[in-house]
Amino acid sequence: MCIRDRTQSTWECSSICNFNTQGSISTMDADRVKFCSKSKIYAASKFGIPVAWSSVWSYCFADQRLENQGLPIGSNEHHNFRCGGWTPHQNDKDPYIEFRSETPRTWVGIVTKGRYPNDPFPHPQWVGGFLIKYSNTGQDDEDDWGYVNDGRILPGNTDGDTAVKNMFEKPFTARILRIYPKQCNQHCTMRIEAYFRP
């Protein structure tokens, strides 16, 4: 597990933070890890790498961060609540969410969760499988994109709040990391973090 020294900005890490396996994370607070000093793996959101998406459900504020709990951001009106995750529009036939770095990064893996189960409008929603593409340009030309793990669908979540990690068989360098949900429970809602090496 990772244990943070609250007087320092770093974390002391044991083997769970080496990110060398695939499966559920039950012994570490994955959403709050800035980096593991031993393995030098960084969380994209902690370094201000922006996130974009193909669409978003219209009624509320989308928040894809792992620690998002669907809390209100303003008044009590419906659209002023975070939805407990990123949720694409219901008419989006090929939704995606992506990390867009200004400079190429060496991406090593991701951690996902489903929709926060106790948000103000709870629904049992998560992404059970997804594929990942990457690019340096983001152009529509298929030749500009590569596939993580040879284009195989990666296993995702089976509930709303268990953190599941997938480490890439071959880390790669790219500006854009794009995640396509392919197997969803009720609706494709997810919270996500991507990790890279400097």
Side-chain angles (χ1 to χ4, degrees), residues 4-111:
R4 185 177 187 181
D5 179 347
R6 296 185 181 276
T7 65
Q8 304 294 328
S9 61
T10 60
W11 297 70
E12 294 181 0
C13 308
S14 60
S15 59
I16 189 68
C17 282
N18 289 331
F19 296 99
N20 57 2
T21 60
Q22 171 181 296
S24 298
I25 297 174
S26 58
T27 57
M28 75 178 233
D29 192 7
D31 50 338
R32 296 188 182 277
V33 172
K34 284 189 177 180
F35 67 90
C36 293
S37 58
K38 180 179 179 180
S39 54
K40 291 291 190 298
I41 293 176
Y42 295 75
S45 65
K46 307 304 180 184
F47 280 77
I49 295 178
V51 174
W53 41 70
S54 57
S55 69
V56 65
W57 194 274
S58 58
Y59 73 77
C60 64
F61 179 81
D63 189 342
Q64 78 290 336
R65 295 173 303 165
L66 284 178
E67 68 267 25
N68 171 28
Q69 297 182 358
L71 300 175
I73 59 174
S75 70
N76 291 327
E77 295 189 20
H78 203 63
H79 62 274
N80 283 326
F81 282 92
R82 295 183 174 92
C83 291
W86 163 70
T87 303
H89 194 272
Q90 62 267 38
N91 293 331
D92 192 341
K93 301 304 182 183
D94 194 25
Y96 64 81
I97 184 170
E98 65 183 21
F99 293 85
R100 298 183 67 94
S101 175
E102 290 185 2
T103 59
R105 307 283 183 175
T106 300
W107 302 97
V108 298
I110 66 170
V111 174

Side-chain angles (χ1 to χ4, degrees), residues 115-133:
R115 180 169 181 156
Y116 184 68
N118 297 315
D119 78 5
F121 306 98
H123 298 282
Q125 298 175 350
W126 54 81
V127 175
F130 51 87
L131 64 81
I132 303 177
K133 298 167 65 174

